[in-house]
Amino acid sequence: MNSYELITILGPTASGKTSLAVALAKAIDLEIISGDSRQVYRRMDIGTGKDLSEYGSVPYHLIDICDAGEKYNVFEFQHDFAKAFAEIKAKGKLPILCGGTGMYIESVLKGYKLLAVPENRELREQLSGFTLDELTVKLSTYKELHNKTDVDSVKRAIRAIEIEEYYRTKTPDVTEFSPINSLIIGVDIDRDLRREKITKRLKSRLEEGMIEEVRSIIESGVSPDDLIYYGLEYKYLTLYIIGQLTFDEMFAQLEMAIHQFAKRQMTWFRGMERRGFTIHWVDAMLPMEEKVNSICQLMNVPI
RNA sequence: GGGCGAUUACCAGAGUGGCCAAAUGGGGCAGACUGUAAAUCUGCUGGUAGUACCUUCGGUGGUUCGAAUCCAUCAUCGCCCA
């Protein structure tokens, strides 16, 4: 008797989102759509914590859909999500959106309106010599920006101008996404425990061959800069591999960066609550069965 | 045993008589964020009732109107001579 079109499971890194989503999917026959901005890349497995072996027979979507070295973004995610969502729906099943990338999740729950604006090489070249200040002045001539993200770097400012210019001259192809009615489950993990788990998990991933994983991606031709762009594990391990950090420096800095990342994730989720989303927090420490049961209750599904 | 140099808030580290609750960086905490989001950016960070008061700069005791800053002494650490 629920009108939910989707179940969303979110939480900071190392909170156990994936296991919970898989357990729930097994219990009531669901399919999982990943809401993770890094698990989309192939061969980036250990560092993104894909844990594909956990899924068993549960179908998953939006994992391994790009090559390492490519650059995926929210716009593409929104479209890919819509497609996967429709497919699962067509099968008469309920999808679970599970991930830790707050903006990706919110973009589909809210139905962000993003314009399909292609790259404008000519314009980019034209603007390439400008300073951020000059670009900011130029930006201020537009009434209202369509792209509401920060314009605090030259790259972003140019992108914002690109979007405005495109919008001025053409009618962009706007795919209308509507907000989705989703039950939102947040995995709540005590801060100190979270930090402890992050550190432990980092150690075990290093033992499982995470360094080799990054090294082999570099050897296959992906440039270190492109890997550094991905942040966290891929950034610090690459810096270690190319000799810019010692092992100890890499470990200490990466550990810290993951802690900070987890904190930022929580800030996003709390922000979502302030923006009107209801998140049902479940204690990460509860036994899996209890977590699954409590979600089933929220959904009014008989257990 | 002798000589010199250190000792500052969670950490590193400035400050060397008043403008010092103490620069700066890191960490931590909180927040923002519709096209890099594992990114980027902002605020706070001794205590309390928020421009005021209280307790701080290794310990103790002095000098001074006034000390993190000067003196004495003790403690710990580092380097040099034995």
Side-chain angles (χ1 to χ4, degrees), chain A residues 8-52:
Chain A
T8 300
I9 296 182
L10 49 77
T13 190
S15 60
K17 298 181 292 289
T18 306
S19 322
L20 177 57
V22 169
L24 186 67
K26 283 180 177 160
I28 45 181
D29 190 29
L30 310 173
E31 298 198 11
I32 296 175
I33 304 176
S34 160
D36 186 299
S37 69
R38 294 295 182 264
Q39 293 190 2
V40 296
Y41 300 107
R42 289 179 206 103
R43 293 188 295 150
M44 291 167 52
D45 301 333
I46 304 175
T48 63
K50 275 179 202 161
D51 300 324
L52 289 178

mmCIF file of all heavy atoms in Angstrom, chain A residues 8-52:
data_model
loop_
_atom_site.group_PDB
_atom_site.id
_atom_site.type_symbol
_atom_site.label_atom_id
_atom_site.label_comp_id
_atom_site.label_asym_id
_atom_site.label_seq_id
_atom_site.Cartn_x
_atom_site.Cartn_y
_atom_site.Cartn_z
ATOM 1 N N THR A 8 15.441 4.890 -1.765
ATOM 2 C CA THR A 8 16.797 5.434 -1.821
ATOM 3 C C THR A 8 17.516 5.039 -0.544
ATOM 4 O O THR A 8 16.973 5.202 0.549
ATOM 5 C CB THR A 8 16.751 6.969 -1.929
ATOM 6 O OG1 THR A 8 16.046 7.323 -3.119
ATOM 7 C CG2 THR A 8 18.147 7.549 -1.970
ATOM 8 N N ILE A 9 18.703 4.509 -0.700
ATOM 9 C CA ILE A 9 19.527 4.214 0.468
ATOM 10 C C ILE A 9 20.784 5.057 0.347
ATOM 11 O O ILE A 9 21.550 4.918 -0.606
ATOM 12 C CB ILE A 9 19.885 2.721 0.554
ATOM 13 C CG1 ILE A 9 18.599 1.909 0.748
ATOM 14 C CG2 ILE A 9 20.867 2.476 1.700
ATOM 15 C CD1 ILE A 9 18.834 0.414 0.886
ATOM 16 N N LEU A 10 20.975 5.947 1.296
ATOM 17 C CA LEU A 10 22.161 6.787 1.258
ATOM 18 C C LEU A 10 22.884 6.699 2.591
ATOM 19 O O LEU A 10 22.383 6.127 3.555
ATOM 20 C CB LEU A 10 21.775 8.233 0.925
ATOM 21 C CG LEU A 10 20.627 8.913 1.690
ATOM 22 C CD1 LEU A 10 21.073 9.339 3.066
ATOM 23 C CD2 LEU A 10 20.121 10.111 0.914
ATOM 24 N N GLY A 11 24.064 7.283 2.641
ATOM 25 C CA GLY A 11 24.860 7.238 3.863
ATOM 26 C C GLY A 11 26.298 7.541 3.524
ATOM 27 O O GLY A 11 26.677 7.508 2.357
ATOM 28 N N PRO A 12 27.091 7.845 4.529
ATOM 29 C CA PRO A 12 28.493 8.144 4.258
ATOM 30 C C PRO A 12 29.257 6.880 3.890
ATOM 31 O O PRO A 12 28.750 5.775 4.078
ATOM 32 C CB PRO A 12 28.997 8.710 5.578
ATOM 33 C CG PRO A 12 28.133 8.078 6.611
ATOM 34 C CD PRO A 12 26.784 7.914 5.965
ATOM 35 N N THR A 13 30.424 7.087 3.376
ATOM 36 C CA THR A 13 31.264 5.962 2.997
ATOM 37 C C THR A 13 31.527 5.089 4.227
ATOM 38 O O THR A 13 31.604 5.588 5.338
ATOM 39 C CB THR A 13 32.575 6.483 2.362
ATOM 40 O OG1 THR A 13 33.286 5.392 1.797
ATOM 41 C CG2 THR A 13 33.457 7.209 3.364
ATOM 42 N N ALA A 14 31.603 3.790 4.019
ATOM 43 C CA ALA A 14 31.875 2.828 5.092
ATOM 44 C C ALA A 14 30.719 2.651 6.069
ATOM 45 O O ALA A 14 30.901 2.156 7.169
ATOM 46 C CB ALA A 14 33.145 3.187 5.876
ATOM 47 N N SER A 15 29.510 3.060 5.658
ATOM 48 C CA SER A 15 28.381 2.882 6.571
ATOM 49 C C SER A 15 27.651 1.570 6.306
ATOM 50 O O SER A 15 26.806 1.161 7.099
ATOM 51 C CB SER A 15 27.413 4.053 6.443
ATOM 52 O OG SER A 15 26.906 4.151 5.125
ATOM 53 N N GLY A 16 27.972 0.927 5.197
ATOM 54 C CA GLY A 16 27.334 -0.349 4.898
ATOM 55 C C GLY A 16 26.091 -0.229 4.029
ATOM 56 O O GLY A 16 25.191 -1.061 4.107
ATOM 57 N N LYS A 17 26.067 0.787 3.180
ATOM 58 C CA LYS A 17 24.923 0.988 2.279
ATOM 59 C C LYS A 17 24.705 -0.186 1.344
ATOM 60 O O LYS A 17 23.593 -0.681 1.182
ATOM 61 C CB LYS A 17 25.150 2.206 1.363
ATOM 62 C CG LYS A 17 25.291 3.517 2.036
ATOM 63 C CD LYS A 17 25.492 4.615 0.988
ATOM 64 C CE LYS A 17 26.823 4.519 0.254
ATOM 65 N NZ LYS A 17 27.976 4.883 1.094
ATOM 66 N N THR A 18 25.792 -0.609 0.699
ATOM 67 C CA THR A 18 25.674 -1.642 -0.323
ATOM 68 C C THR A 18 25.111 -2.933 0.253
ATOM 69 O O THR A 18 24.170 -3.501 -0.298
ATOM 70 C CB THR A 18 27.042 -1.915 -0.972
ATOM 71 O OG1 THR A 18 27.562 -0.678 -1.450
ATOM 72 C CG2 THR A 18 26.908 -2.884 -2.126
ATOM 73 N N SER A 19 25.662 -3.368 1.381
ATOM 74 C CA SER A 19 25.171 -4.623 1.976
ATOM 75 C C SER A 19 23.695 -4.518 2.288
ATOM 76 O O SER A 19 22.935 -5.465 2.083
ATOM 77 C CB SER A 19 25.899 -4.943 3.275
ATOM 78 O OG SER A 19 27.245 -4.608 3.162
ATOM 79 N N LEU A 20 23.291 -3.363 2.788
ATOM 80 C CA LEU A 20 21.887 -3.184 3.132
ATOM 81 C C LEU A 20 21.013 -3.220 1.882
ATOM 82 O O LEU A 20 19.973 -3.893 1.856
ATOM 83 C CB LEU A 20 21.687 -1.863 3.883
ATOM 84 C CG LEU A 20 20.243 -1.508 4.239
ATOM 85 C CD1 LEU A 20 19.607 -2.616 5.080
ATOM 86 C CD2 LEU A 20 20.181 -0.185 4.987
ATOM 87 N N ALA A 21 21.447 -2.538 0.842
ATOM 88 C CA ALA A 21 20.664 -2.518 -0.400
ATOM 89 C C ALA A 21 20.536 -3.926 -0.965
ATOM 90 O O ALA A 21 19.454 -4.342 -1.406
ATOM 91 C CB ALA A 21 21.327 -1.595 -1.414
ATOM 92 N N VAL A 22 21.639 -4.672 -0.928
ATOM 93 C CA VAL A 22 21.616 -6.032 -1.464
ATOM 94 C C VAL A 22 20.688 -6.910 -0.631
ATOM 95 O O VAL A 22 19.870 -7.663 -1.175
ATOM 96 C CB VAL A 22 23.040 -6.621 -1.514
ATOM 97 C CG1 VAL A 22 23.005 -8.109 -1.800
ATOM 98 C CG2 VAL A 22 23.884 -5.896 -2.559
ATOM 99 N N ALA A 23 20.797 -6.780 0.674
ATOM 100 C CA ALA A 23 19.942 -7.605 1.544
ATOM 101 C C ALA A 23 18.470 -7.295 1.296
ATOM 102 O O ALA A 23 17.625 -8.199 1.235
ATOM 103 C CB ALA A 23 20.288 -7.353 3.013
ATOM 104 N N LEU A 24 18.182 -6.030 1.145
ATOM 105 C CA LEU A 24 16.790 -5.627 0.899
ATOM 106 C C LEU A 24 16.314 -6.121 -0.466
ATOM 107 O O LEU A 24 15.192 -6.632 -0.598
ATOM 108 C CB LEU A 24 16.691 -4.098 0.971
ATOM 109 C CG LEU A 24 15.292 -3.501 0.874
ATOM 110 C CD1 LEU A 24 14.471 -3.885 2.102
ATOM 111 C CD2 LEU A 24 15.363 -1.981 0.757
ATOM 112 N N ALA A 25 17.186 -6.001 -1.448
ATOM 113 C CA ALA A 25 16.832 -6.437 -2.804
ATOM 114 C C ALA A 25 16.553 -7.929 -2.833
ATOM 115 O O ALA A 25 15.641 -8.399 -3.521
ATOM 116 C CB ALA A 25 17.959 -6.090 -3.767
ATOM 117 N N LYS A 26 17.327 -8.676 -2.065
ATOM 118 C CA LYS A 26 17.117 -10.119 -2.021
ATOM 119 C C LYS A 26 15.815 -10.451 -1.319
ATOM 120 O O LYS A 26 15.095 -11.374 -1.708
ATOM 121 C CB LYS A 26 18.284 -10.806 -1.309
ATOM 122 C CG LYS A 26 19.509 -10.916 -2.201
ATOM 123 C CD LYS A 26 20.677 -11.605 -1.493
ATOM 124 C CE LYS A 26 21.847 -11.753 -2.459
ATOM 125 N NZ LYS A 26 23.123 -11.962 -1.733
ATOM 126 N N ALA A 27 15.508 -9.671 -0.284
ATOM 127 C CA ALA A 27 14.316 -9.953 0.503
ATOM 128 C C ALA A 27 13.040 -9.708 -0.282
ATOM 129 O O ALA A 27 12.072 -10.462 -0.140
ATOM 130 C CB ALA A 27 14.322 -9.106 1.774
ATOM 131 N N ILE A 28 12.999 -8.655 -1.066
ATOM 132 C CA ILE A 28 11.744 -8.386 -1.766
ATOM 133 C C ILE A 28 11.910 -8.187 -3.264
ATOM 134 O O ILE A 28 11.107 -7.515 -3.901
ATOM 135 C CB ILE A 28 10.989 -7.166 -1.150
ATOM 136 C CG1 ILE A 28 11.957 -6.014 -0.894
ATOM 137 C CG2 ILE A 28 10.285 -7.546 0.134
ATOM 138 C CD1 ILE A 28 11.277 -4.791 -0.277
ATOM 139 N N ASP A 29 12.925 -8.822 -3.844
ATOM 140 C CA ASP A 29 13.105 -8.846 -5.298
ATOM 141 C C ASP A 29 13.140 -7.465 -5.947
ATOM 142 O O ASP A 29 12.214 -7.085 -6.659
ATOM 143 C CB ASP A 29 12.008 -9.721 -5.943
ATOM 144 C CG ASP A 29 12.324 -9.966 -7.425
ATOM 145 O OD1 ASP A 29 13.525 -9.974 -7.764
ATOM 146 O OD2 ASP A 29 11.374 -10.118 -8.203
ATOM 147 N N LEU A 30 14.198 -6.741 -5.684
ATOM 148 C CA LEU A 30 14.353 -5.412 -6.256
ATOM 149 C C LEU A 30 15.608 -5.362 -7.122
ATOM 150 O O LEU A 30 16.411 -6.281 -7.108
ATOM 151 C CB LEU A 30 14.478 -4.366 -5.131
ATOM 152 C CG LEU A 30 13.432 -4.419 -4.029
ATOM 153 C CD1 LEU A 30 13.796 -3.440 -2.929
ATOM 154 C CD2 LEU A 30 12.068 -4.098 -4.588
ATOM 155 N N GLU A 31 15.773 -4.271 -7.843
ATOM 156 C CA GLU A 31 17.007 -4.056 -8.598
ATOM 157 C C GLU A 31 17.680 -2.793 -8.077
ATOM 158 O O GLU A 31 17.014 -1.853 -7.651
ATOM 159 C CB GLU A 31 16.714 -3.928 -10.095
ATOM 160 C CG GLU A 31 16.104 -5.202 -10.658
ATOM 161 C CD GLU A 31 16.190 -5.282 -12.185
ATOM 162 O OE1 GLU A 31 16.895 -4.463 -12.793
ATOM 163 O OE2 GLU A 31 15.532 -6.192 -12.732
ATOM 164 N N ILE A 32 18.997 -2.792 -8.132
ATOM 165 C CA ILE A 32 19.753 -1.685 -7.559
ATOM 166 C C ILE A 32 20.299 -0.757 -8.637
ATOM 167 O O ILE A 32 20.868 -1.219 -9.632
ATOM 168 C CB ILE A 32 20.921 -2.228 -6.698
ATOM 169 C CG1 ILE A 32 20.354 -3.002 -5.500
ATOM 170 C CG2 ILE A 32 21.829 -1.084 -6.228
ATOM 171 C CD1 ILE A 32 21.403 -3.682 -4.644
ATOM 172 N N ILE A 33 20.092 0.518 -8.432
ATOM 173 C CA ILE A 33 20.730 1.524 -9.282
ATOM 174 C C ILE A 33 21.764 2.223 -8.405
ATOM 175 O O ILE A 33 21.438 2.722 -7.336
ATOM 176 C CB ILE A 33 19.722 2.571 -9.797
ATOM 177 C CG1 ILE A 33 18.567 1.900 -10.541
ATOM 178 C CG2 ILE A 33 20.431 3.578 -10.695
ATOM 179 C CD1 ILE A 33 17.478 2.874 -11.003
ATOM 180 N N SER A 34 22.998 2.235 -8.847
ATOM 181 C CA SER A 34 24.040 2.853 -8.043
ATOM 182 C C SER A 34 23.969 4.374 -8.161
ATOM 183 O O SER A 34 23.796 4.914 -9.248
ATOM 184 C CB SER A 34 25.404 2.346 -8.515
ATOM 185 O OG SER A 34 26.415 3.233 -8.087
ATOM 186 N N GLY A 35 24.107 5.042 -7.047
ATOM 187 C CA GLY A 35 24.155 6.507 -7.048
ATOM 188 C C GLY A 35 25.525 6.935 -6.589
ATOM 189 O O GLY A 35 25.673 7.607 -5.571
ATOM 190 N N ASP A 36 26.511 6.485 -7.312
ATOM 191 C CA ASP A 36 27.894 6.724 -6.911
ATOM 192 C C ASP A 36 28.662 7.257 -8.113
ATOM 193 O O ASP A 36 28.721 6.605 -9.151
ATOM 194 C CB ASP A 36 28.506 5.412 -6.417
ATOM 195 C CG ASP A 36 29.892 5.597 -5.841
ATOM 196 O OD1 ASP A 36 30.797 6.053 -6.585
ATOM 197 O OD2 ASP A 36 30.087 5.284 -4.653
ATOM 198 N N SER A 37 29.261 8.410 -7.961
ATOM 199 C CA SER A 37 29.898 9.072 -9.097
ATOM 200 C C SER A 37 31.191 8.412 -9.543
ATOM 201 O O SER A 37 31.750 8.797 -10.564
ATOM 202 C CB SER A 37 30.188 10.527 -8.744
ATOM 203 O OG SER A 37 31.205 10.589 -7.766
ATOM 204 N N ARG A 38 31.689 7.461 -8.782
ATOM 205 C CA ARG A 38 32.954 6.844 -9.158
ATOM 206 C C ARG A 38 32.824 5.368 -9.555
ATOM 207 O O ARG A 38 33.648 4.847 -10.286
ATOM 208 C CB ARG A 38 33.978 6.991 -8.033
ATOM 209 C CG ARG A 38 34.383 8.445 -7.771
ATOM 210 C CD ARG A 38 35.123 9.053 -8.952
ATOM 211 N NE ARG A 38 35.552 10.430 -8.714
ATOM 212 C CZ ARG A 38 34.887 11.516 -9.095
ATOM 213 N NH1 ARG A 38 33.731 11.403 -9.725
ATOM 214 N NH2 ARG A 38 35.366 12.724 -8.850
ATOM 215 N N GLN A 39 31.795 4.727 -9.085
ATOM 216 C CA GLN A 39 31.630 3.313 -9.437
ATOM 217 C C GLN A 39 31.186 3.139 -10.880
ATOM 218 O O GLN A 39 31.091 2.023 -11.374
ATOM 219 C CB GLN A 39 30.636 2.638 -8.484
ATOM 220 C CG GLN A 39 31.187 2.568 -7.067
ATOM 221 C CD GLN A 39 30.359 1.706 -6.139
ATOM 222 O OE1 GLN A 39 29.371 1.107 -6.536
ATOM 223 N NE2 GLN A 39 30.770 1.638 -4.883
ATOM 224 N N VAL A 40 30.929 4.238 -11.560
ATOM 225 C CA VAL A 40 30.564 4.144 -12.972
ATOM 226 C C VAL A 40 31.753 3.699 -13.823
ATOM 227 O O VAL A 40 31.571 3.201 -14.928
ATOM 228 C CB VAL A 40 30.050 5.495 -13.534
ATOM 229 C CG1 VAL A 40 28.761 5.909 -12.846
ATOM 230 C CG2 VAL A 40 31.103 6.583 -13.387
ATOM 231 N N TYR A 41 32.962 3.870 -13.290
ATOM 232 C CA TYR A 41 34.142 3.589 -14.099
ATOM 233 C C TYR A 41 34.594 2.142 -14.011
ATOM 234 O O TYR A 41 34.709 1.577 -12.924
ATOM 235 C CB TYR A 41 35.298 4.506 -13.673
ATOM 236 C CG TYR A 41 34.974 5.964 -13.846
ATOM 237 C CD1 TYR A 41 34.722 6.777 -12.745
ATOM 238 C CD2 TYR A 41 34.896 6.524 -15.122
ATOM 239 C CE1 TYR A 41 34.415 8.120 -12.901
ATOM 240 C CE2 TYR A 41 34.587 7.870 -15.282
ATOM 241 C CZ TYR A 41 34.342 8.664 -14.174
ATOM 242 O OH TYR A 41 34.031 9.987 -14.333
ATOM 243 N N ARG A 42 34.864 1.576 -15.160
ATOM 244 C CA ARG A 42 35.361 0.205 -15.217
ATOM 245 C C ARG A 42 36.788 0.136 -14.674
ATOM 246 O O ARG A 42 37.545 1.095 -14.818
ATOM 247 C CB ARG A 42 35.391 -0.298 -16.673
ATOM 248 C CG ARG A 42 34.015 -0.538 -17.233
ATOM 249 C CD ARG A 42 34.085 -1.022 -18.688
ATOM 250 N NE ARG A 42 32.836 -0.642 -19.341
ATOM 251 C CZ ARG A 42 32.706 0.375 -20.179
ATOM 252 N NH1 ARG A 42 33.748 1.092 -20.533
ATOM 253 N NH2 ARG A 42 31.523 0.676 -20.665
ATOM 254 N N ARG A 43 37.129 -0.956 -14.107
ATOM 255 C CA ARG A 43 38.471 -1.258 -13.591
ATOM 256 C C ARG A 43 38.820 -0.462 -12.338
ATOM 257 O O ARG A 43 39.882 -0.666 -11.758
ATOM 258 C CB ARG A 43 39.562 -1.021 -14.659
ATOM 259 C CG ARG A 43 39.458 -2.007 -15.827
ATOM 260 C CD ARG A 43 40.643 -1.874 -16.744
ATOM 261 N NE ARG A 43 40.661 -0.570 -17.378
ATOM 262 C CZ ARG A 43 41.764 0.071 -17.764
ATOM 263 N NH1 ARG A 43 42.937 -0.470 -17.571
ATOM 264 N NH2 ARG A 43 41.688 1.254 -18.334
ATOM 265 N N MET A 44 37.965 0.463 -11.942
ATOM 266 C CA MET A 44 38.212 1.145 -10.683
ATOM 267 C C MET A 44 37.336 0.455 -9.647
ATOM 268 O O MET A 44 36.246 0.919 -9.324
ATOM 269 C CB MET A 44 37.887 2.634 -10.817
ATOM 270 C CG MET A 44 38.894 3.332 -11.720
ATOM 271 S SD MET A 44 38.453 5.005 -12.268
ATOM 272 C CE MET A 44 38.080 5.807 -10.735
ATOM 273 N N ASP A 45 37.823 -0.672 -9.177
ATOM 274 C CA ASP A 45 36.968 -1.540 -8.367
ATOM 275 C C ASP A 45 37.242 -1.421 -6.871
ATOM 276 O O ASP A 45 36.359 -1.090 -6.089
ATOM 277 C CB ASP A 45 37.164 -2.999 -8.788
ATOM 278 C CG ASP A 45 36.821 -3.204 -10.261
ATOM 279 O OD1 ASP A 45 35.998 -2.424 -10.782
ATOM 280 O OD2 ASP A 45 37.389 -4.118 -10.891
ATOM 281 N N ILE A 46 38.473 -1.721 -6.498
ATOM 282 C CA ILE A 46 38.792 -1.733 -5.065
ATOM 283 C C ILE A 46 38.687 -0.327 -4.489
ATOM 284 O O ILE A 46 38.094 -0.108 -3.445
ATOM 285 C CB ILE A 46 40.204 -2.304 -4.823
ATOM 286 C CG1 ILE A 46 40.329 -3.709 -5.439
ATOM 287 C CG2 ILE A 46 40.515 -2.350 -3.341
ATOM 288 C CD1 ILE A 46 41.718 -4.302 -5.352
ATOM 289 N N GLY A 47 39.240 0.617 -5.221
ATOM 290 C CA GLY A 47 39.270 1.990 -4.732
ATOM 291 C C GLY A 47 37.894 2.643 -4.620
ATOM 292 O O GLY A 47 37.696 3.551 -3.833
ATOM 293 N N THR A 48 36.941 2.178 -5.411
ATOM 294 C CA THR A 48 35.599 2.765 -5.308
ATOM 295 C C THR A 48 34.694 1.909 -4.443
ATOM 296 O O THR A 48 33.539 2.266 -4.219
ATOM 297 C CB THR A 48 34.932 2.921 -6.695
ATOM 298 O OG1 THR A 48 34.761 1.623 -7.274
ATOM 299 C CG2 THR A 48 35.759 3.783 -7.620
ATOM 300 N N GLY A 49 35.217 0.774 -4.001
ATOM 301 C CA GLY A 49 34.431 -0.092 -3.128
ATOM 302 C C GLY A 49 33.207 -0.684 -3.805
ATOM 303 O O GLY A 49 32.120 -0.697 -3.246
ATOM 304 N N LYS A 50 33.398 -1.190 -5.006
ATOM 305 C CA LYS A 50 32.243 -1.737 -5.734
ATOM 306 C C LYS A 50 31.647 -2.965 -5.069
ATOM 307 O O LYS A 50 30.433 -3.167 -5.097
ATOM 308 C CB LYS A 50 32.654 -2.094 -7.165
ATOM 309 C CG LYS A 50 32.577 -0.912 -8.103
ATOM 310 C CD LYS A 50 33.015 -1.311 -9.502
ATOM 311 C CE LYS A 50 33.444 -0.070 -10.266
ATOM 312 N NZ LYS A 50 34.270 -0.401 -11.428
ATOM 313 N N ASP A 51 32.480 -3.807 -4.525
ATOM 314 C CA ASP A 51 31.999 -5.015 -3.858
ATOM 315 C C ASP A 51 30.998 -5.796 -4.711
ATOM 316 O O ASP A 51 29.943 -6.221 -4.225
ATOM 317 C CB ASP A 51 31.325 -4.671 -2.515
ATOM 318 C CG ASP A 51 32.298 -3.985 -1.576
ATOM 319 O OD1 ASP A 51 33.492 -4.351 -1.579
ATOM 320 O OD2 ASP A 51 31.870 -3.070 -0.848
ATOM 321 N N LEU A 52 31.335 -5.968 -5.985
ATOM 322 C CA LEU A 52 30.389 -6.632 -6.897
ATOM 323 C C LEU A 52 30.045 -8.050 -6.459
ATOM 324 O O LEU A 52 28.941 -8.535 -6.728
ATOM 325 C CB LEU A 52 30.962 -6.659 -8.321
ATOM 326 C CG LEU A 52 30.993 -5.281 -8.997
ATOM 327 C CD1 LEU A 52 31.619 -5.371 -10.371
ATOM 328 C CD2 LEU A 52 29.581 -4.698 -9.095
#
